[in-house]
C-alpha cells in the first residue's frame, strides 16, 4: 500500500489556490453554531497552508439537504465563524446542495477543481464516502492528507497493527448488525471485548437469558453465540437498569421479566467494565452503554467515560455518540484521541482503508 501523501509532499503553495475538503458539519440551533469543534479541528491544516502563502478555499457538506439548496443548511454561520478563526480562508456553499456531490458526478468535480492548483483532504468524517469532493480532485490535482486526516489514520491504523497490550474494545450502541464487521475485524486483534448498549441484549439472548421487551436482533443471535463461543473473552453486563412493565425504573440481573425493557447497564456491570478499562494498555470505545440522553439511564455510560479518562491506557474514542457522551460529561480532554468520524473510524478499523485515502494515494504527486 502506497504511503499517504502529506502536506509536505505538495508542490510549493505560495501564490496558489488550494481546495481543502473540510468536515464543517457542525451542530446548529436556530441558525447558530452550538459547537465549533470541527471548524477548530481544521485550523492546523489551514494555518500551515496560509503561512506558506496559499489562498485556502474550504469546501464542506452540512446536514442532509438531499441535492437541493435549502436556507436551513446554508454555510453562512460556518463561514462567519471561519472568518473569525482563519481570516482570509474562503468557504464554498454546501457541497450537498448539488446532487453531483453524493453522486460523484465528474462534471461536478470539474467545477470544484476549476482554478485550483492543489487539493487537501482533511475531512476524515467523510473519508469513507466515495463522494465527488472526496475522490474526484486527487485524480487531477497534486493532493495531500491534512493534519487531522493524517492523525486519524495514524492512530486508527496503529490500533489495527501495533496496539499496546492488553488491547480492549468497548462497544455499545443500539444494533449488533451495525458493529458485526468491526467486531469480526477486531476479534483477531483485541485481547478482550466489552459489550454494552442495546446490542448487549442480543448477546444476552444468545446465552439463553430472557430479555423482556429489550432491543434484540433475532437474526443475529447465532452470530453472537458463535462469537461468545470463540477464543477471545467477551465481557457482557451482569446487571441491567431499565423500566419494569408498569414503566417504573428498575434494577435487574440479566434475566428480565416479560414486559420489562433494559435501557442501561447496571452499577455492577459498570464497575466491572471500568476495571477492564483500567487494566488495559489500549482501549477503543465506540457506542454508549445505555440511553444516556435520559439521566435515568446515563450512569453506565458516565462510569465507562470516567474510566476512559482515568486509565493509564492509550485511549481512543470512535466519534459519534461516544464522543458526544464524553463532551457531555466534561471528559473529552482526558482521552488520548477522540475521532471526528464515527462511521469512518469503524470502517477504517474494519477494512484498513477508505475511499478517500485510496484516492489520495493515487494522486499525481503521490508517486514522486
Amino acid at each position: 500500500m502506497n504511503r499517504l501523501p502529506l502536506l509536505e509532499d505538495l508542490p510549493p503553495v505560495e501564490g496558489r489556490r488550494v481546495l481543502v475538503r473540510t468536515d464543517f458539519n457542525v451542530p446548529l440551533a436556530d441558525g447558530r453554531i452550538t459547537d465549533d469543534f470541527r471548524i477548530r479541528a481544521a485550523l492546523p491544516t489551514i494555518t500551515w497552508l496560509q503561512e506558506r502563502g496559499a489562498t485556502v478555499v474550504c469546501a464542506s457538506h452540512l446536514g442532509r439537504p438531499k441535492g437541493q439548496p435549502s436556507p436551513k443548511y446554508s454555510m453562512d454561520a460556518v463561514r462567519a465563524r471561519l472568518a473569525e478563526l482563519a481570516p482570509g480562508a474562503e468557504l464554498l456553499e454546501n457541497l450537498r446542495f448539488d446532487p453531483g456531490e453524493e453522486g460523484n458526478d465528474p462534471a461536478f468535480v470539474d467545477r470544484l477543481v476549476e482554478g485550483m492548483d492543489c487539493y487537501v483532504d482533511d475531512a476524515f468524517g467523510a473519508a469513507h464516502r466515495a463522494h465527488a469532493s472526496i475522490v474526484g480532485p486527487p485524480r487531477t490535482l497534486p493532493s495531500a492528507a491534512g493534519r487531522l486526516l493524517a492523525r486519524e489514520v495514524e492512530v486508527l491504523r496503529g490500533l489495527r497493527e501495533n496496539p499496546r497490550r492488553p488491547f480492549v474494545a468497548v462497544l455499545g450502541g443500539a444494533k449488533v448488525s451495525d458493529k458485526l464487521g468491526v467486531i469480526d475485524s477486531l476479534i483477531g486483534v483485541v485481547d478482550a471485548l466489552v459489550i454494552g448498549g442495546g446490542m448487549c441484549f442480543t448477546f444476552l439472548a444468545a446465552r439463553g437469558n430472557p430479555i423482556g421487551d429489550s432491543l434484540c436482533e433475532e437474526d443475529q443471535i447465532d452470530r453472537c453465540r458463535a462469537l461468545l463461543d470463540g477464543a477471545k473473552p467477551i465481557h457482557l453486563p451482569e446487571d441491567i437498569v431499565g423500566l419494569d412493565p408498569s414503566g417504573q425504573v428498575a434494577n435487574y440481573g440479566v434475566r428480565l421479566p416479560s414486559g420489562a425493557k433494559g435501557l442501561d447497564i447496571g452499577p455492577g456491570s459498570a464497575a466491572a467494565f471500568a476495571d477492564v478499562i483500567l487494566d488495559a494498555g489500549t482501549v477503543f470505545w465506540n457506542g454508549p452503554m445505555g440511553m444516556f440522553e435520559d439521566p435515568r439511564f446515563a450512569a453506565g455510560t458516565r462510569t465507562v467515560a470516567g474510566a476512559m479518562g482515568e486509565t493509564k491506557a492509550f485511549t481512543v474514542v470512535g466519534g459519534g455518540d461516544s464522543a458526544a457522551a464524553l463532551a457531555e460529561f466534561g471528559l473529552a480532554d482526558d482521552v488520548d484521541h477522540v475521532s471526528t468520524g464515527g462511521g469512518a473510524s469503524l470502517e477504517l478499523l474494519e477494512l484498513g482503508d477508505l475511499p478517500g485515502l485510496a484516492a489520495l494515494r493515487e494522486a499525481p504527486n503521490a508517486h514522486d
Side-chain angles (χ1 to χ4, degrees):
M1 193 180 284
N2 297 331
R3 185 179 69 84
L4 202 63
L6 304 177
L7 292 175
E8 289 77 8
D9 297 311
L10 291 172
V13 296
E14 185 174 2
R16 306 290 186 179
R17 287 177 68 78
V18 180
L19 178 66
V20 181
R21 177 50 162 106
T22 51
D23 181 5
F24 291 164
N25 188 26
V26 296
L28 296 172
D30 300 321
R32 299 172 64 88
I33 297 169
T34 57
D35 183 356
D36 66 357
F37 169 74
R38 288 184 169 180
I39 304 174
R40 288 183 286 108
L43 294 180
T45 293
I46 294 170
T47 302
W48 190 94
L49 292 164
Q50 288 182 325
E51 287 176 347
R52 285 156 182 79
T55 297
V56 173
V57 182
C58 297
S60 177
H61 70 283
L62 179 64
R64 299 177 182 272
K66 303 191 186 307
Q68 298 288 332
S70 164
K72 178 182 177 184
Y73 297 115
S74 163
M75 302 300 290
D76 289 348
V78 179
R79 190 175 291 111
R81 183 61 178 139
L82 180 64
E84 294 171 356
L85 294 170
E90 302 171 25
L91 177 60
L92 303 180
E93 191 44 274
N94 192 334
L95 292 167
R96 290 185 182 173
F97 281 1
D98 193 307
E101 164 66 356
E102 293 184 78
N104 191 17
D105 181 358
F108 182 63
V109 176
D110 290 343
R111 294 198 296 277
L112 270 181
V113 301
E114 188 175 352
M116 301 296 172
D117 299 295
C118 298
Y119 169 76
V120 173
D121 188 352
D122 213 23
F124 178 72
H128 60 316
R129 311 283 190 199
H131 291 172
S133 65
I134 299 291
V135 300
R139 294 188 189 119
T140 55
L141 294 179
S143 300
R147 292 289 189 246
L148 175 67
L149 182 75
R151 176 62 179 159
E152 293 271 18
V153 173
E154 178 188 8
V155 169
L156 292 162
R157 282 239 179 96
L159 294 188
R160 278 175 59 95
E161 295 162 11
N162 190 30
R164 205 163 75 211
R165 303 284 178 186
F167 176 20
V168 175
V170 181
L171 301 177
K175 291 185 174 180
V176 178
S177 53
D178 291 343
K179 303 278 168 75
L180 273 176
V182 76
I183 288 173
D184 286 341
S185 296
L186 286 173
I187 207 79
V189 183
V190 298
D191 298 291
L193 280 173
V194 172
I195 305 288
M199 62 189 284
C200 80
F201 296 105
T202 307
F203 280 91
L204 290 172
R207 276 280 181 254
N209 296 293
I211 56 169
D213 290 348
S214 305
L215 189 65
C216 181
E217 292 179 275
E218 301 281 349
D219 60 338
Q220 303 296 337
I221 286 177
D222 287 344
R223 288 291 306 278
C224 292
R225 188 177 293 120
L227 287 165
L228 289 166
D229 290 340
K232 294 291 171 70
I234 296 179
H235 300 273
L236 296 178
E238 60 193 47
D239 57 350
I240 297 293
V241 175
L243 296 175
D244 68 17
S246 68
Q248 299 298 306
V249 176
N251 284 48
Y252 295 105
V254 290
R255 301 179 66 83
L256 274 64
S258 177
K261 186 173 187 179
L263 292 165
D264 192 15
I265 60 172
S269 305
F273 288 2
D275 285 344
V276 175
I277 291 168
L278 292 170
D279 288 341
T282 303
V283 188
F284 173 75
W285 177 31
N286 180 272
M289 296 293 100
M291 204 169 74
F292 76 96
E293 302 89 346
D294 185 328
R296 298 175 298 172
F297 309 114
T301 302
R302 183 184 290 109
T303 299
V304 164
M308 289 289 288
E310 188 181 339
T311 183
K312 299 294 190 289
F314 181 73
T315 47
V316 179
V317 176
D321 288 340
S322 313
L326 269 183
E328 184 172 313
F329 302 141
L331 295 165
D333 292 337
D334 295 334
V335 299
D336 293 299
H337 183 76
V338 180
S339 178
T340 54
S345 64
L346 289 179
E347 198 162 308
L348 184 56
L349 279 175
E350 179 182 344
L351 304 176
D353 203 10
L354 300 173
L357 308 183
L360 289 175
R361 293 197 306 274
E362 295 303 315
N365 60 312
H367 305 285
D368 293 348

